Amino acid sequence: MTTNPALPALGTPPPATAARPHHIDDWRPEDPVFWETTGARTARRNLVYSVLCEHIGFSVWSLWSVLVLFLGPEYGIDPAGKFLLTAVPTLVGAALRLPYTVAVSVFGGRTWTVVSALALLIPTALIAYVLEPGVSYTTLLAVAAAAGLGGGNFASSMANINAFYPQHLKGRALGVNAGGGNLGVPAVQLLGLLVLATAGAGHPRLVPLVYIPLIVLAALAAVLRMDNLPRGAHPAGRPLREVSRDRHTWVISLLYIGTFGSFIGFGFAFGQVLLVQFPGDFPTPVRAAYLTFLGPLLGSLVRPVGGMLADRWNGARVTFWTFIAMALSTGVVLLASHQGSLPLFLTGFVLLFLLSGVGNGSTYKMIPAIHRAAARRWIAGGLDPLVAEDRSHQRANALMGIAGAVGALGGVLINVAYRQAFQESGTGEAAYAAFLAYYVLCLAVTWAVYLRGKRGATTG
C-alpha cells in the first residue's frame, strides 16, 4: 500500500510550534483531534481575511456596473456600448480564474492573497486617472478590462479555503467565503449611490478612490494574519489537466454558468436594464441606483444558505429545485416585461438574485463531494487513504478553478444577450426567453447526471 510520509497519521497531536512564521507544515483537517485543538481556529482566521480580500476584489470587478450610471450624454456612449463596458471585465475576470487557481499552489495562499490584493491598485488608479468627459471609448474598454483583475481573486480564494476545511464543513465554509466576497457587488453599488446622491454624476472618480486605501489595508491584513499551507494541500498544474478530462468538470461548469453567471451578469447589468427598459420610472441614474444594489445584496447573503442546505440535503437536490424556481422566476420577469409591469419585474428579479445565490452555494458544494466519492473508490481499489484524500483535495480545487472561470462567462453572455436584445427590439424579452431555456437545460442535466437512480449519493 502506498504511504505519504508528508502526512502524519490520524490522531497525532499537533506540533507545538511552526517551522516558519505564517507557513504551516502540518495540516490534517480530517483528523478530529487536530481539528479541535489547532485546525478550526486557524481555518477561521484565514477564512475571515480571505473574505475581506475577496470582498474588495469583487467590488473592483463590479466597478463598471456602477460607473456606467455616471456616463451621461457628455461621454457619447449608447446603451449597447455601456453593456459592452460591463461585459469586458467579466470576460477578463473569467479568463484569470484558471491561472489564479494555479497560483495558490505555486506561491501559497497567503502570498498570493497579498499579491492579488495589491494588483487591484492597477484598475482603481487607472479609472481615477482617465474617467472624464472626452476620454475615448477604446481607452474606457482597456481600463474596464483591467478591472477583470478583481474577478480572479474568487478562484484563488475558494481553492485556498477549500484546503483549510474538513469535508463535512466545506459547504458552509465555501458558502461563507463566496457569500462574503459576493457582497462586494452590492457594496460598490451602495457606494456609487452615495456618490451620485451627494457629489453628483459629475464625480465618478470618487468611487475608485475610496477603494485605494482599502486595498492597501486588506493586503496588510493578509500579510499579518494569513498562512500558507503545505504545498501538497493545494493543486498544482497536473490536477487541472486531469479534471479537464472528467465529464463532471464540464457538467458542473454548465450548471455554474446558470447560477454564478446569472448572479454576476444580472448584478452588472441590472441598473442599466432599469434605465433602458423603464425610462419613465427611472429618469435619472440616482433613481436606478436606489434599487441596483438590492438584488446582489440578497443573492450574496443567501449563498451560505445554499451551502448549508447542500450539506444537509445533498447538493444536487438543492441545485435541481433551485433551477426549477429560477425558470419560474424568469417566466415572471418575461411576463412583466411584456406587460410593462415594474412591480412584477422587480419581484421576479429579486427572486432570481436570491435563487442564484442559493444555487451558487449548492453547486460549489457538489465539487468536493464528487471528488470525495472518487477518493472512496480509490481507497477501495487499494490506494492509501491519506494519498487518496490529498488527491481528492487537489482535484476539487482544480475543478473549482475551471468551474469558476467557465461559470463567470455566464455573466458575459448575459450582458451580450441584453446588448443584442435591446439593440434589435428595444426590450429584453428575447434575452429573458434565452435565460429561461438555459435554466430548463440545467435542471434537466442535474436530474439526468446526478439524481436519476442512485447517483445523487456522489454529490452529498
Side-chain angles (χ1 to χ4, degrees):
M1 180 178 292
T2 305
T3 59
N4 186 346
L7 297 172
L10 295 181
T12 303
T17 59
R20 294 169 292 170
H22 301 293
H23 285 76
I24 298 174
D25 296 317
D26 176 32
W27 189 251
R28 291 166 284 134
E30 300 295 344
D31 180 343
V33 175
F34 180 88
W35 181 252
E36 291 297 326
T37 56
T38 302
R41 182 175 64 255
T42 301
R44 282 194 299 268
R45 171 166 47 78
N46 280 270
L47 175 61
V48 167
Y49 293 98
S50 173
V51 167
L52 172 63
C53 293
E54 187 191 345
H55 174 93
I56 294 177
F58 260 94
S59 291
V60 172
W61 195 25
S62 308
L63 272 170
W64 285 93
S65 71
V66 173
L67 295 176
V68 292
L69 301 179
F70 288 83
L71 303 182
E74 65 274 18
Y75 286 88
I77 304 173
D78 63 9
K82 292 179 182 179
F83 280 120
L84 186 58
L85 280 173
T86 56
V88 166
T90 315
L91 177 62
V92 174
L96 288 175
R97 288 186 165 193
L98 283 178
Y100 269 57
T101 300
V102 176
V104 173
S105 68
V106 175
F107 301 105
R110 167 181 174 265
T111 304
W112 186 249
T113 299
V114 174
V115 171
S116 60
L118 290 175
L120 301 176
L121 293 171
I122 298 172
T124 49
L126 284 174
I127 294 169
Y129 180 71
V130 308
L131 194 56
E132 61 181 356
V135 62
S136 72
Y137 185 67
T138 302
T139 300
L140 290 181
L141 283 175
V143 174
L149 288 167
N153 291 31
F154 172 83
S156 55
S157 178
M158 293 293 275
N160 188 38
I161 293 304
N162 180 57
F164 271 98
Y165 279 85
Q167 178 67 29
H168 69 284
L169 294 177
K170 285 184 186 293
R172 182 175 303 179
L174 293 174
V176 169
N177 189 59
N182 290 173
L183 281 170
V185 181
V188 73
Q189 291 171 345
L190 280 169
L191 175 61
L193 171 61
L194 178 64
V195 173
L196 279 170
T198 55
H203 297 84
R205 293 176 171 180
L206 293 177
V207 181
L209 284 173
V210 169
Y211 277 96
I212 290 177
L214 296 179
I215 291 167
V216 174
L217 290 174
L220 179 61
V223 168
L224 297 176
R225 301 294 293 162
M226 293 187 71
D227 304 294
N228 286 324
L229 287 179
R231 185 178 180 85
H234 291 299
R238 187 178 304 165
L240 279 174
R241 294 194 296 270
E242 291 170 353
V243 299
S244 68
R245 297 191 291 265
D246 186 345
R247 69 167 184 149
H248 289 294
T249 298
W250 305 109
V251 173
I252 292 294
S253 297
L254 175 83
L255 303 182
Y256 206 54
I257 288 174
T259 57
F260 180 74
S262 296
F263 171 83
I264 201 67
F266 293 148
F268 279 28
F270 191 47
Q272 186 66 13
V273 168
L274 292 177
L275 287 173
V276 176
Q277 186 145 355
F278 296 94
D281 295 287
F282 299 98
T284 65
V286 177
R287 291 284 297 275
Y290 277 113
L291 292 175
T292 298
F293 74 93
L294 181 61
L297 174 63
L298 295 174
S300 301
L301 291 175
V302 301
R303 180 158 185 163
V305 175
M308 288 185 281
L309 290 175
D311 281 339
R312 183 170 183 179
W313 285 309
N314 180 282
R317 290 194 188 98
V318 176
T319 301
F320 174 75
W321 287 105
T322 298
F323 277 122
I324 290 179
M326 289 180 74
L328 294 173
S329 300
T330 306
V332 171
V333 171
L334 183 58
L335 176 64
S337 177
H338 184 70
Q339 295 182 347
S341 171
L342 178 61
L344 192 61
F345 186 84
L346 293 175
T347 299
F349 251 108
V350 167
L351 289 172
L352 277 175
F353 274 112
L354 283 168
L355 292 164
S356 67
V358 172
N360 284 341
S362 63
T363 304
Y364 244 63
K365 169 59 170 93
M366 293 168 66
I367 294 174
I370 287 169
H371 288 284
R372 179 73 168 182
R376 288 195 292 267
R377 293 194 298 272
W378 299 331
I379 293 169
L383 188 63
D384 180 87
L386 292 174
V387 175
E389 188 69 37
D390 182 51
R391 183 183 297 176
S392 169
H393 279 308
Q394 290 186 15
R395 293 191 177 184
N397 283 355
L399 176 48
M400 286 180 182
I402 293 175
V406 177
L409 292 175
V412 181
L413 296 175
I414 282 177
N415 279 274
V416 171
Y418 273 133
R419 181 179 185 273
Q420 195 69 20
F422 283 114
Q423 201 169 34
E424 292 184 357
S425 63
T427 75
E429 291 177 18
Y432 304 134
F435 304 155
L436 174 58
Y438 193 84
Y439 299 147
V440 172
L441 171 65
C442 287
L443 69 90
V445 169
T446 304
W447 177 82
V449 178
Y450 297 116
L451 294 179
R452 186 176 57 182
K454 298 180 180 180
R455 296 177 184 175
T458 66
T459 55

